[in-house]
Amino acid sequence: MKYILFLFTFALLACETFDDCPVEINKEFIYVYFFTDIDTVISSENFVYRPEYHYLGSDPVPLSIIARGDTLNYTLEIKNQENVIILVDTSNTPCASDSILYKRGHNHYRVDAEKIHSCVFYLYQSCD
């Protein structure tokens, strides 16, 4: 009986934990962190630049960020069940290898202009 009670309690806690998980099947979010003043963000997709999950299909999403007279152009691969995080900075080190994003991410790539730099990170969704 103790084992059944333990399993029931564990299952109940697991359900409560995962009910709060924002992961939704076939959805992901794209989040852009600006560490500089951005003039314009242009995208063929109408998605919101905040942490909300959206169905973005599976076609690549073109995106352009204009700041300080420079333009960064991206083609984001939609992988579903992954988060896309873009860092935009005037610093030359947005892809620092000691950052948490670098350590947790995969398939990251760098996009540079003369005055602004950025890094795109793909992270698996989790409920941490």
Side-chain angles (χ1 to χ4, degrees):
M1 185 68 178
K2 288 181 185 178
Y3 293 116
I4 293 174
L5 183 59
F6 172 77
L7 289 174
F8 177 77
T9 304
F10 179 78
L12 184 63
L13 288 173
C15 286
E16 288 178 4
T17 301
F18 290 112
D19 281 347
D20 294 334
C21 180
V23 175
E24 298 180 43
I25 294 174
N26 293 327
K27 293 187 178 186
E28 70 184 337
F29 80 77
I30 297 174
Y31 195 86
V32 183
Y33 289 95
F34 303 138
F35 295 102
T36 184
D37 292 330
I38 299 296
D39 299 324
T40 310
V41 178
I42 303 168
S43 173
S44 65
E45 286 287 334
N46 184 21
F47 61 85
V48 180
Y49 299 94
R50 57 193 164 118
E52 287 186 3
Y53 288 89
H54 297 278
Y55 177 70
L56 298 174
S58 58
D59 294 331
V61 175
L63 176 75
S64 295
I65 296 175
I66 302 169
R68 297 180 170 258
D70 276 328
T71 303
L72 297 172
N73 294 309
Y74 308 83
T75 301
L76 303 175
E77 184 180 349
I78 302 304
K79 299 173 183 251
N80 292 321
Q81 295 301 304
E82 293 188 9
N83 303 327
V84 181
I85 297 177
I86 303 173
L87 301 183
V88 180
D89 201 346
T90 54
S91 165
N92 195 31
T93 58
C95 305
S97 61
D98 60 346
S99 71
I100 292 173
L101 286 174
Y102 184 90
K103 292 174 182 174
R104 292 188 60 198
H106 64 92
N107 293 340
H108 68 278
Y109 65 93
R110 186 180 179 110
V111 182
D112 289 292
E114 186 176 325
K115 298 178 184 174
I116 50 176
H117 310 278
S118 72
C119 202
V120 179
F121 296 91
Y122 286 88
L123 280 79
Y124 294 116
Q125 292 179 11
S126 66
C127 300
D128 296 350

